[in-house]
């Protein structure tokens, strides 16, 4: 196969491949960007593989950075953007089901391609657009199939993360997992417990954000991989509900976790514990908390201005989307966003009085009463019972909220 037109990202890197070839080495584009180009999808990272050893690569270019020299990766900066070049290599060992004990640099492309996970990820592309297809990856791309390179039992035994990657690609590409590869995942699912949670997390979120996430979730259940993910064992029925949702199309990590937490029926403390077990970043947990709050409020028809006030525009988008997909939300996703925009204030700091004002003007003593009164003032402003204006708020507090003031 010969590609007539290469994407711009490849064209920028063509001089690197040519320089390597002129010096007598082989060099190819490899990995996901080749797969995605053939599928007509946009590409993000350009990976180059070469028969030149790292020192040989460095000798050919003026500006290089050792970004992963022990794995053979050198960043070349001679052509504007940096391009990562990795020496052909084989991997061996894998005593811990995750990382090779030894990486060996080799001169043959085939050796490098056969260590790759799936046939669709083992294609190589020459600088002139010729596709090198040693493992029938093109046929699998055309048929929509994820197939392990070589013996799937061995490949998942070497690196258990590949099982999550298979499910992730099935979701992103809406591909089927080839039967022998699928059977091997079922056999080896328990090995997932050997893999660092952070790496499972990354694949799970990508899977959930894929265009066929319902398929990915179905495969997580069918293969029992879900049972080896934090907090998912025993939740097959809840996860099956997610797998049957039409239009499951998560736009962010926050939506992914709000969706899972909603369907698992997690309380807020349980949600925090669940996401911590997944080693989720704190700022994500904070936003999931809000999005989940809105989604639950929609489920129980309890969305109020007070609930919206707690939100941010992004968490309203996430919460509404999750609720809508789950069948709880209004079909108009702008409904809550518009109601939010109309709130008189959007943050407690916008209140026109402070705790100090209350102490000074109403003679309140420091303590919980201050925070309590501020909260009540915020609630009154949101309900439009009082305008957010200094004197009006103090008068309102004197008349309605503060019993022991000096009025
Ligand atoms: P993405 O679009 O998510 O970047 P990708 O296929 O490029 O997908 P990467 O994780 O960037 O995935 O890896 C680049 C390439 O390295 C893959 O296409 C595959 O050939 C190889 N690869 C990555 N991870 C593994 C693995 N765990 N086992 C074997 N090969 C792998
Ligand atoms: Mg990639």
């Amino acid at each position: 196969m010969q590609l007539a037109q290469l994407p711009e990202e490849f064209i920028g890197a063509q001089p690197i491949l040519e320089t390597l070839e002129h010096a007598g080495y082989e060099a190819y584009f490899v990995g996901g960007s080749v797969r995605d180009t053939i599928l007509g999808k946009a590409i993000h990272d350009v990976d180059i593989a070469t028969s030149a050893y790292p020192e040989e690569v460095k000798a050919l270019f003026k500006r290089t950075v050792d970004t992963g020299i022990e794995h053979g990766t050198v960043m070349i900066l001679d052509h504007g953007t940096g391009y990562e070049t990795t020496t052909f290599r084989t991997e061996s060992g894998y005593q811990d089901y995750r990382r090779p004990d030894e990486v060996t640099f080799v001169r043959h492309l085939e050796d490098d391609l056969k260590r790759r996970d799936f046939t669709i990820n083992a294609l190589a592309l020459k600088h002139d657009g010729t596709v090198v297809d040693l493992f029938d990856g093109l046929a699998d791309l055309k048929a929509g199939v994820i197939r392990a390179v070589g013996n799937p039992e061995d490949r998942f035994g070497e690196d258990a993360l590949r099982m999550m990657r298979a499910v992730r690609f099935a979701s992103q590409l809406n591909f089927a997992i080839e039967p022998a590869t699928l059977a091997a995942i079922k056999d080896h699912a328990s090995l997932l417990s050997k893999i660092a949670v952070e790496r499972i997390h990354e694949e799970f979120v990508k899977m959930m954000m894929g265009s066929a996430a319902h398929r990915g979730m179905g495969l997580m259940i069918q293969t029992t991989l879900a049972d080896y993910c934090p907090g998912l064992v025993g939740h097959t029925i809840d996860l099956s509900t997610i797998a049957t949702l039409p239009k499951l199309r998560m736009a962010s990590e926050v939506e992914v976790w709000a969706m899972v937490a909603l369907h698992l029926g997690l309380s807020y403390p349980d949600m925090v514990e669940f996401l911590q077990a997944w080693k989720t970043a704190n700022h994500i947990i904070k936003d999931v908390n809000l999005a989940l709050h809105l989604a639950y409020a929609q489920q129980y028809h309890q969305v109020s201005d007070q609930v919206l006030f707690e939100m941010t525009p992004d968490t309203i988008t996430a919460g509404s989307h999750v609720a809508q997909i789950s069948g709880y939300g209004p079909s108009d996703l702008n409904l809550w966003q518009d109601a939010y925009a109309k709130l008189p204030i959007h943050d407690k700091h916008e209140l026109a009085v402070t705790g100090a004002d209350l102490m000074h003007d109403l003679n309140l003593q420091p303590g919980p009463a201050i925070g309590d009164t501020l909260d009540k003032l915020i609630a009154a402003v949101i309900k439009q019972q009082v305008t957010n204006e200094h004197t009006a708020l103090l008068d309102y507090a004197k008349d309605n909220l503060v019993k022991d003031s000096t009025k």
Side-chain angles (χ1 to χ4, degrees), residues 5 47 66 68 168 172 216 240 242 312 322 336 341 352:
Q5 181 75 39
D47 293 317
D66 294 358
R168 183 259 277 202
Q172 287 182 323
S240 306
I242 297 179
T312 58
V322 164
W336 305 129

Side-chain angles (χ1 to χ4, degrees), residues 68-91:
I69 196 91
E70 67 283 12
H71 306 113
T73 305
V74 173
M75 166 92 77
I76 298 170
L77 296 164
D78 290 22
H79 300 275
T81 344
Y83 291 100
E84 290 217 307
T85 306
T86 304
T87 302
F88 295 157
R89 61 178 203 225
T90 57
E91 296 171 346

Side-chain angles (χ1 to χ4, degrees), residues 258-283:
M259 175 59 88
V260 174
L262 179 74
H263 285 266
L264 263 51
L266 298 182
S267 66
Y268 297 107
D270 287 351
M271 178 275 293
V272 173
E273 200 181 311
F274 172 77
L275 289 188
Q276 282 171 345
W278 274 94
K279 305 231 191 266
T280 308
N282 282 335
H283 71 275

Side-chain angles (χ1 to χ4, degrees), residues 30-36 42-45 47 89 91 94 98 112-118 120-123 155 158-163 165 168-169 172 199 202-203 206:
V30 288
S33 55
V34 177
R35 175 197 69 222
D36 290 341
I43 60 173
H44 39 107
D45 38 273
D47 293 317
R89 61 178 203 225
E91 296 171 346
Y94 297 107
R98 46 197 159 138
D112 183 84
L113 295 181
K114 77 177 176 214
R115 72 163 170 97
R116 294 176 182 270
D117 47 7
F118 306 111
I120 58 168
N121 290 344
L123 294 160
R155 302 312 308 284
E158 286 169 4
D159 177 358
L161 187 71
R162 290 174 186 153
M163 299 186 286
R165 286 175 58 88
R168 183 259 277 202
F169 288 121
Q172 287 182 323
R199 299 177 72 208
E202 191 181 335
E203 297 299 331
K206 284 184 179 174

Side-chain angles (χ1 to χ4, degrees), residues 214-264:
H214 60 287
R215 184 171 202 162
M217 184 56 91
L219 286 165
M220 293 277 301
I221 299 164
Q222 189 192 346
T223 56
T224 74
L225 280 173
D227 292 348
Y228 302 95
C229 291
L232 296 184
V233 68
H235 284 288
T236 306
I237 293 173
D238 301 327
L239 298 177
S240 306
T241 320
I242 297 179
T244 53
L245 290 175
K247 300 192 204 134
L248 180 65
R249 196 73 198 255
M250 304 283 83
S252 64
E253 185 181 343
V254 171
E255 290 192 10
V256 167
W257 295 120
M259 175 59 88
V260 174
L262 179 74
H263 285 266
L264 263 51

Side-chain angles (χ1 to χ4, degrees), residues 149-188:
V149 173
N151 178 339
E153 304 279 341
D154 296 345
R155 302 312 308 284
F156 298 131
E158 286 169 4
D159 177 358
L161 187 71
R162 290 174 186 153
M163 299 186 286
M164 284 299 294
R165 286 175 58 88
V167 171
R168 183 259 277 202
F169 288 121
S171 165
Q172 287 182 323
L173 304 172
N174 196 14
F175 277 22
I177 301 180
E178 172 272 328
T181 303
L182 187 66
I185 298 177
K186 283 187 193 160
D187 286 351
H188 291 80

